[in-house]
Amino acid sequence: MLWTVLLALLVLLLLQTQLSVCLRELRNGGSSSPTFSSSSSSSSSSYNATQQRLPGAIIIGVRKGGTRALLEMLNLHPDVEVAKAEVHYFNVEEHYRKGLAWYRAQMPFTLPGQLTVEKTPGYFAAPQVPARVWDMNPAVRLLLIVRDPAERLVSDYTQVLHNRLTRHKPYQPLEELLIHKGHIDPGYKALQRSLYHLHLARWLEVFPREQIHVVDGDALIRDPFPELRKAERFLDLPPRISPNNFYYNTTKGFYCLLSAGHDKCLDESKGRPHAPLSTQAFRKLCHYFRKPNKLFFEMVGRSFSWC
């Protein structure tokens, strides 16, 4: 009789334990299937720990400065996950009114300890953005990738021209937009986006200089690894990106990415031939940028080999 009671109690205890496991699985959103190994248990635990987090770093610009290349290269790091599309949260009122919950929902799923990075090059030149980013996270790290402002302007125009022609819409030649009565037109929007010192001054009114890392976009294209190593250090990431992650594609004329045996080149818009601009007009443009460039060099504490 005693043995029968003990056996019944043992069976009841086993059933209660199994029920507890099942209930825990249901609460965690997991499968009701039993776990057969420690590796599958670890995988399930990791999956349940993933969530969408606000970015710890933002690539704020500049437009046509190499932001997509920088984002894709940072994504080689195992501790980095990136937002695949430009979010335009802080510079588009319709998006900003939706609040931080909407912004977070645009981010990738990450594990604890991973860094979420988003890039929207339109942030850099938008006056309202620095204070809004600060309100989101005063400790966020900002990356600013810059290139020769004259070359950037021509690239900016080339993209707009391509988009217009794709939609079968006419567009003025660059020289007509850029030069008015023989002089550079300061009202041309693409030119204003290349006045880096004006935009950076607004960011420095809100964020300390050490919170903004300047990436040399021209150097990133010539030899990506040194610039990526500097970015890793700025983001407090362990050094995981190596020269073996890059190879030069002679057909495309720029570096492509290599990771886990798979290669990836940036889309066809990268390396697109620039729209024509006369040598005389380009010289005027370079002369116009000399003083703004000097002011920018003083602000960032370094100089660049620009025209």
Side-chain angles (χ1 to χ4, degrees), residues 5-24:
V5 172
L6 288 174
L7 183 60
L9 288 172
L10 181 60
V11 170
L12 183 62
L13 181 61
L14 288 171
L15 289 172
Q16 185 178 16
T17 302
Q18 185 63 39
L19 180 61
S20 297
V21 170
C22 291
L23 288 172
R24 186 165 61 251

PDB file of all heavy atoms in Angstrom, residues 5-24:
ATOM      1  N   VAL A   5       1.286   4.393  -2.874  1.00  0.00           N
ATOM      2  CA  VAL A   5       1.144   5.826  -2.580  1.00  0.00           C
ATOM      3  C   VAL A   5       2.375   6.590  -3.056  1.00  0.00           C
ATOM      4  O   VAL A   5       2.293   7.654  -3.684  1.00  0.00           O
ATOM      5  CB  VAL A   5       0.910   6.050  -1.075  1.00  0.00           C
ATOM      6  CG1 VAL A   5       0.962   7.542  -0.754  1.00  0.00           C
ATOM      7  CG2 VAL A   5      -0.429   5.468  -0.662  1.00  0.00           C
ATOM      8  N   LEU A   6       3.585   6.010  -2.764  1.00  0.00           N
ATOM      9  CA  LEU A   6       4.827   6.668  -3.172  1.00  0.00           C
ATOM     10  C   LEU A   6       4.934   6.774  -4.695  1.00  0.00           C
ATOM     11  O   LEU A   6       5.346   7.799  -5.252  1.00  0.00           O
ATOM     12  CB  LEU A   6       6.038   5.898  -2.615  1.00  0.00           C
ATOM     13  CG  LEU A   6       6.258   6.010  -1.102  1.00  0.00           C
ATOM     14  CD1 LEU A   6       7.383   5.084  -0.656  1.00  0.00           C
ATOM     15  CD2 LEU A   6       6.582   7.455  -0.711  1.00  0.00           C
ATOM     16  N   LEU A   7       4.530   5.697  -5.376  1.00  0.00           N
ATOM     17  CA  LEU A   7       4.571   5.701  -6.834  1.00  0.00           C
ATOM     18  C   LEU A   7       3.627   6.758  -7.415  1.00  0.00           C
ATOM     19  O   LEU A   7       3.953   7.472  -8.363  1.00  0.00           O
ATOM     20  CB  LEU A   7       4.202   4.305  -7.360  1.00  0.00           C
ATOM     21  CG  LEU A   7       4.277   4.127  -8.889  1.00  0.00           C
ATOM     22  CD1 LEU A   7       5.698   4.395  -9.390  1.00  0.00           C
ATOM     23  CD2 LEU A   7       3.837   2.727  -9.271  1.00  0.00           C
ATOM     24  N   ALA A   8       2.435   6.854  -6.811  1.00  0.00           N
ATOM     25  CA  ALA A   8       1.463   7.850  -7.269  1.00  0.00           C
ATOM     26  C   ALA A   8       1.987   9.271  -7.073  1.00  0.00           C
ATOM     27  O   ALA A   8       1.816  10.153  -7.931  1.00  0.00           O
ATOM     28  CB  ALA A   8       0.136   7.650  -6.534  1.00  0.00           C
ATOM     29  N   LEU A   9       2.637   9.498  -5.902  1.00  0.00           N
ATOM     30  CA  LEU A   9       3.218  10.817  -5.632  1.00  0.00           C
ATOM     31  C   LEU A   9       4.325  11.161  -6.627  1.00  0.00           C
ATOM     32  O   LEU A   9       4.446  12.293  -7.092  1.00  0.00           O
ATOM     33  CB  LEU A   9       3.762  10.878  -4.201  1.00  0.00           C
ATOM     34  CG  LEU A   9       2.715  10.919  -3.087  1.00  0.00           C
ATOM     35  CD1 LEU A   9       3.388  10.782  -1.722  1.00  0.00           C
ATOM     36  CD2 LEU A   9       1.918  12.234  -3.146  1.00  0.00           C
ATOM     37  N   LEU A  10       5.142  10.168  -6.973  1.00  0.00           N
ATOM     38  CA  LEU A  10       6.235  10.377  -7.919  1.00  0.00           C
ATOM     39  C   LEU A  10       5.697  10.742  -9.310  1.00  0.00           C
ATOM     40  O   LEU A  10       6.187  11.671  -9.972  1.00  0.00           O
ATOM     41  CB  LEU A  10       7.101   9.110  -8.005  1.00  0.00           C
ATOM     42  CG  LEU A  10       8.316   9.193  -8.957  1.00  0.00           C
ATOM     43  CD1 LEU A  10       9.256  10.312  -8.515  1.00  0.00           C
ATOM     44  CD2 LEU A  10       9.043   7.854  -8.978  1.00  0.00           C
ATOM     45  N   VAL A  11       4.667  10.015  -9.748  1.00  0.00           N
ATOM     46  CA  VAL A  11       4.047  10.305 -11.044  1.00  0.00           C
ATOM     47  C   VAL A  11       3.460  11.711 -11.049  1.00  0.00           C
ATOM     48  O   VAL A  11       3.572  12.477 -12.015  1.00  0.00           O
ATOM     49  CB  VAL A  11       2.965   9.253 -11.370  1.00  0.00           C
ATOM     50  CG1 VAL A  11       2.154   9.678 -12.593  1.00  0.00           C
ATOM     51  CG2 VAL A  11       3.602   7.894 -11.601  1.00  0.00           C
ATOM     52  N   LEU A  12       2.786  12.079  -9.943  1.00  0.00           N
ATOM     53  CA  LEU A  12       2.188  13.408  -9.834  1.00  0.00           C
ATOM     54  C   LEU A  12       3.247  14.496  -9.907  1.00  0.00           C
ATOM     55  O   LEU A  12       3.072  15.537 -10.557  1.00  0.00           O
ATOM     56  CB  LEU A  12       1.411  13.503  -8.512  1.00  0.00           C
ATOM     57  CG  LEU A  12       0.659  14.816  -8.256  1.00  0.00           C
ATOM     58  CD1 LEU A  12      -0.408  15.029  -9.321  1.00  0.00           C
ATOM     59  CD2 LEU A  12       0.008  14.794  -6.869  1.00  0.00           C
ATOM     60  N   LEU A  13       4.397  14.260  -9.255  1.00  0.00           N
ATOM     61  CA  LEU A  13       5.483  15.234  -9.263  1.00  0.00           C
ATOM     62  C   LEU A  13       6.048  15.414 -10.674  1.00  0.00           C
ATOM     63  O   LEU A  13       6.308  16.535 -11.123  1.00  0.00           O
ATOM     64  CB  LEU A  13       6.594  14.775  -8.304  1.00  0.00           C
ATOM     65  CG  LEU A  13       7.807  15.713  -8.172  1.00  0.00           C
ATOM     66  CD1 LEU A  13       7.373  17.072  -7.629  1.00  0.00           C
ATOM     67  CD2 LEU A  13       8.848  15.098  -7.235  1.00  0.00           C
ATOM     68  N   LEU A  14       6.205  14.306 -11.395  1.00  0.00           N
ATOM     69  CA  LEU A  14       6.711  14.373 -12.766  1.00  0.00           C
ATOM     70  C   LEU A  14       5.752  15.133 -13.677  1.00  0.00           C
ATOM     71  O   LEU A  14       6.154  15.942 -14.513  1.00  0.00           O
ATOM     72  CB  LEU A  14       6.945  12.960 -13.309  1.00  0.00           C
ATOM     73  CG  LEU A  14       8.155  12.202 -12.728  1.00  0.00           C
ATOM     74  CD1 LEU A  14       8.154  10.754 -13.187  1.00  0.00           C
ATOM     75  CD2 LEU A  14       9.454  12.885 -13.151  1.00  0.00           C
ATOM     76  N   LEU A  15       4.459  14.873 -13.516  1.00  0.00           N
ATOM     77  CA  LEU A  15       3.463  15.574 -14.316  1.00  0.00           C
ATOM     78  C   LEU A  15       3.468  17.071 -14.029  1.00  0.00           C
ATOM     79  O   LEU A  15       3.322  17.900 -14.931  1.00  0.00           O
ATOM     80  CB  LEU A  15       2.070  14.986 -14.053  1.00  0.00           C
ATOM     81  CG  LEU A  15       1.813  13.582 -14.626  1.00  0.00           C
ATOM     82  CD1 LEU A  15       0.472  13.046 -14.123  1.00  0.00           C
ATOM     83  CD2 LEU A  15       1.811  13.637 -16.156  1.00  0.00           C
ATOM     84  N   GLN A  16       3.629  17.416 -12.753  1.00  0.00           N
ATOM     85  CA  GLN A  16       3.652  18.832 -12.372  1.00  0.00           C
ATOM     86  C   GLN A  16       4.868  19.539 -12.972  1.00  0.00           C
ATOM     87  O   GLN A  16       4.777  20.675 -13.451  1.00  0.00           O
ATOM     88  CB  GLN A  16       3.672  18.945 -10.845  1.00  0.00           C
ATOM     89  CG  GLN A  16       3.572  20.394 -10.343  1.00  0.00           C
ATOM     90  CD  GLN A  16       3.534  20.466  -8.831  1.00  0.00           C
ATOM     91  OE1 GLN A  16       3.880  19.500  -8.148  1.00  0.00           O
ATOM     92  NE2 GLN A  16       3.110  21.587  -8.301  1.00  0.00           N
ATOM     93  N   THR A  17       6.002  18.859 -12.974  1.00  0.00           N
ATOM     94  CA  THR A  17       7.216  19.430 -13.554  1.00  0.00           C
ATOM     95  C   THR A  17       7.050  19.668 -15.052  1.00  0.00           C
ATOM     96  O   THR A  17       7.395  20.725 -15.584  1.00  0.00           O
ATOM     97  CB  THR A  17       8.416  18.488 -13.315  1.00  0.00           C
ATOM     98  OG1 THR A  17       8.567  18.286 -11.909  1.00  0.00           O
ATOM     99  CG2 THR A  17       9.704  19.092 -13.886  1.00  0.00           C
ATOM    100  N   GLN A  18       6.484  18.655 -15.741  1.00  0.00           N
ATOM    101  CA  GLN A  18       6.263  18.787 -17.181  1.00  0.00           C
ATOM    102  C   GLN A  18       5.292  19.911 -17.503  1.00  0.00           C
ATOM    103  O   GLN A  18       5.459  20.665 -18.458  1.00  0.00           O
ATOM    104  CB  GLN A  18       5.738  17.456 -17.746  1.00  0.00           C
ATOM    105  CG  GLN A  18       5.588  17.448 -19.270  1.00  0.00           C
ATOM    106  CD  GLN A  18       6.913  17.623 -19.980  1.00  0.00           C
ATOM    107  OE1 GLN A  18       7.921  17.083 -19.550  1.00  0.00           O
ATOM    108  NE2 GLN A  18       6.913  18.399 -21.043  1.00  0.00           N
ATOM    109  N   LEU A  19       4.248  20.065 -16.665  1.00  0.00           N
ATOM    110  CA  LEU A  19       3.276  21.137 -16.856  1.00  0.00           C
ATOM    111  C   LEU A  19       3.935  22.498 -16.699  1.00  0.00           C
ATOM    112  O   LEU A  19       3.664  23.432 -17.457  1.00  0.00           O
ATOM    113  CB  LEU A  19       2.123  20.970 -15.856  1.00  0.00           C
ATOM    114  CG  LEU A  19       1.011  22.028 -15.934  1.00  0.00           C
ATOM    115  CD1 LEU A  19       0.336  22.001 -17.306  1.00  0.00           C
ATOM    116  CD2 LEU A  19      -0.022  21.784 -14.836  1.00  0.00           C
ATOM    117  N   SER A  20       4.826  22.632 -15.712  1.00  0.00           N
ATOM    118  CA  SER A  20       5.527  23.899 -15.488  1.00  0.00           C
ATOM    119  C   SER A  20       6.377  24.268 -16.697  1.00  0.00           C
ATOM    120  O   SER A  20       6.426  25.426 -17.122  1.00  0.00           O
ATOM    121  CB  SER A  20       6.415  23.803 -14.242  1.00  0.00           C
ATOM    122  OG  SER A  20       5.632  23.590 -13.095  1.00  0.00           O
ATOM    123  N   VAL A  21       7.068  23.253 -17.270  1.00  0.00           N
ATOM    124  CA  VAL A  21       7.899  23.500 -18.452  1.00  0.00           C
ATOM    125  C   VAL A  21       7.039  23.981 -19.617  1.00  0.00           C
ATOM    126  O   VAL A  21       7.371  24.937 -20.326  1.00  0.00           O
ATOM    127  CB  VAL A  21       8.685  22.221 -18.843  1.00  0.00           C
ATOM    128  CG1 VAL A  21       9.361  22.404 -20.210  1.00  0.00           C
ATOM    129  CG2 VAL A  21       9.723  21.898 -17.781  1.00  0.00           C
ATOM    130  N   CYS A  22       5.916  23.317 -19.820  1.00  0.00           N
ATOM    131  CA  CYS A  22       5.018  23.692 -20.921  1.00  0.00           C
ATOM    132  C   CYS A  22       4.484  25.113 -20.755  1.00  0.00           C
ATOM    133  O   CYS A  22       4.412  25.883 -21.718  1.00  0.00           O
ATOM    134  CB  CYS A  22       3.855  22.702 -21.022  1.00  0.00           C
ATOM    135  SG  CYS A  22       4.358  21.060 -21.588  1.00  0.00           S
ATOM    136  N   LEU A  23       4.101  25.462 -19.531  1.00  0.00           N
ATOM    137  CA  LEU A  23       3.587  26.798 -19.274  1.00  0.00           C
ATOM    138  C   LEU A  23       4.649  27.858 -19.526  1.00  0.00           C
ATOM    139  O   LEU A  23       4.370  28.928 -20.075  1.00  0.00           O
ATOM    140  CB  LEU A  23       3.069  26.901 -17.830  1.00  0.00           C
ATOM    141  CG  LEU A  23       1.752  26.165 -17.536  1.00  0.00           C
ATOM    142  CD1 LEU A  23       1.455  26.193 -16.041  1.00  0.00           C
ATOM    143  CD2 LEU A  23       0.603  26.788 -18.322  1.00  0.00           C
ATOM    144  N   ARG A  24       5.889  27.541 -19.115  1.00  0.00           N
ATOM    145  CA  ARG A  24       6.978  28.492 -19.338  1.00  0.00           C
ATOM    146  C   ARG A  24       7.233  28.697 -20.834  1.00  0.00           C
ATOM    147  O   ARG A  24       7.465  29.801 -21.312  1.00  0.00           O
ATOM    148  CB  ARG A  24       8.247  28.011 -18.650  1.00  0.00           C
ATOM    149  CG  ARG A  24       9.391  29.030 -18.717  1.00  0.00           C
ATOM    150  CD  ARG A  24      10.523  28.711 -17.730  1.00  0.00           C
ATOM    151  NE  ARG A  24      11.130  27.422 -17.995  1.00  0.00           N
ATOM    152  CZ  ARG A  24      10.978  26.339 -17.210  1.00  0.00           C
ATOM    153  NH1 ARG A  24      10.241  26.414 -16.110  1.00  0.00           N
ATOM    154  NH2 ARG A  24      11.556  25.195 -17.512  1.00  0.00           N
TER     155      ARG A  24
END
